[in-house]
Amino acid sequence: MAARTTLNTRRANRRYAADASLLFVAAAFVLPLAWVILSSLDPRAGLKVKLPDGVTLDNFDAVLKPDITFTPLLNSLILCGGATLLTVVCAALAAYPLSRFRSRLNRPFLLTIIFATSLPITAIMVPVYALFVQVNLIDTMQGTIFFFTASQLPFAIWLMKNFMDGVPKELEEAAWTDGASSFQSLLRVVLPLMGPGIAVVTVFSFVAMWGNFFVPFMLLLSPEQMPASVSINDFFGNRGTVVYGQLAAFSIIYSTPVILLYVLVARKLGGGFALGGAVKG
């Protein structure tokens, strides 16, 4: 009886410790979000997390200007949207032969992809910058889109292949029997059945590009082409002066497209590939 009581006490202590750890982790995420929301409504916002000294929308009025918010956000949407679309298309085309055809080169290629994901972006920016100068892609939106796509493709291919492996090949074979080509079966059979995989790759790629500061800062020179991830640096003034309220308001507006994208594809993220029964009988 005493041993059972001791065991129950240990389990309770472990549960309390786990709950305390989860609460600590949750606080680490909630406090920055609370600061952003509260500071955006505070006319005298600072670094402390506190209730606003009177609720005001002046911070939003100050940043909702074409040169401060609208133009940088449009540039970000063009860069990240174009690069995400190109990444998803290229990843699907590259993942299809890796998933459907067996070759001795598949494993070395996938290992090379994993190695490419570990390369720090700062290690390759100098040769990339020199290359872009030579081919006249420096300070161009299309050049930045190409580099965004190239930097996200390795992990996107890896993700896309894993999701594509979940689509039964027998469904494609049925399409081939009806006269469809491999490209037609990819478009009409495989991709429609792996909606959750495409949604994951889309969200992952877009979020990674949306928050990227270093790449557009290096490859774009014209202020009118700078995305919001770079223009947010303008809120940090000289000698350490920062307009915290406007910075918080801009951060909320800057986060909105990512939140909307996730909401739009969230219903696909919960799906799966319960297609095993479709090839039986």
Side-chain angles (χ1 to χ4, degrees):
M1 189 68 177
R4 180 177 298 179
T5 302
T6 302
L7 181 60
N8 291 335
T9 302
R10 291 180 178 176
R11 289 178 177 175
N13 291 336
R14 292 175 181 173
R15 185 169 61 252
Y16 293 147
D19 293 342
S21 300
L22 291 176
L23 288 175
F24 177 79
V25 173
F29 283 94
V30 169
L31 286 178
L33 295 177
W35 179 86
V36 170
I37 296 173
L38 295 176
S39 297
S40 66
L41 303 174
D42 192 346
R44 290 180 291 274
L47 286 175
K48 294 182 179 180
V49 179
K50 63 182 180 66
L51 293 176
D53 298 332
V55 177
T56 179
L57 296 178
D58 291 343
N59 293 321
F60 289 94
D61 292 336
V63 300
L64 288 175
K65 304 291 176 57
D67 57 331
I68 298 177
T69 298
F70 298 132
T71 300
L73 279 180
L74 178 61
N75 292 336
S76 292
L77 289 173
I78 294 174
L79 287 175
C80 301
T84 299
L85 177 62
L86 193 58
T87 297
V88 172
V89 172
C90 293
L93 295 177
Y96 183 74
L98 293 173
S99 175
R100 289 300 187 254
F101 304 106
R102 297 292 177 261
S103 170
R104 290 180 297 179
L105 299 178
N106 282 10
R107 182 175 174 82
F109 183 77
L110 291 174
L111 292 177
T112 303
I113 288 177
I114 294 179
F115 172 75
T117 61
S118 65
L119 290 175
I121 199 71
T122 53
I124 60 176
M125 279 309 299
V126 173
V128 166
Y129 185 90
L131 174 64
F132 273 40
V133 170
Q134 292 294 325
V135 297
N136 295 323
L137 285 178
I138 200 70
D139 196 27
T140 61
M141 299 288 279
Q142 62 268 27
T144 308
I145 289 175
F146 291 152
F147 185 79
F148 266 149
T149 302
S151 62
Q152 292 299 321
L153 259 181
F155 198 61
I157 293 173
W158 185 270
L159 281 178
M160 193 75 75
K161 177 192 176 298
N162 289 334
F163 281 108
M164 200 171 288
D165 289 342
V167 179
K169 190 176 180 179
E170 290 81 357
L171 298 177
E172 283 187 89
E173 293 174 348
W176 294 339
T177 302
D178 293 335
S181 63
S182 297
F183 185 72
Q184 289 174 329
S185 66
L186 171 64
L187 291 181
R188 299 179 181 180
V189 178
V190 178
L191 294 182
L193 293 176
M194 52 178 296
I198 296 176
V200 168
V201 175
T202 299
V203 172
F204 174 84
S205 301
F206 187 86
V207 171
M209 299 172 191
W210 188 260
N212 194 304
F213 169 85
F214 188 66
V215 170
F217 179 75
M218 292 293 296
L219 299 182
L220 295 175
L221 307 177
S222 304
E224 63 272 10
Q225 295 192 96
M226 291 296 177
S229 60
V230 178
S231 66
I232 196 174
N233 188 56
D234 295 339
F235 290 98
F236 296 87
N238 295 326
R239 301 179 182 178
T241 58
V242 182
V243 186
Y244 291 106
Q246 295 181 17
L247 175 61
F250 184 86
S251 299
I252 292 177
I253 299 172
Y254 176 56
S255 305
T256 301
V258 176
I259 297 174
L260 291 178
L261 176 64
Y262 177 77
V263 170
L264 289 175
V265 302
R267 60 188 183 91
K268 290 185 176 295
L269 293 177
F273 302 112
L275 301 173
V279 297
K280 295 181 180 180

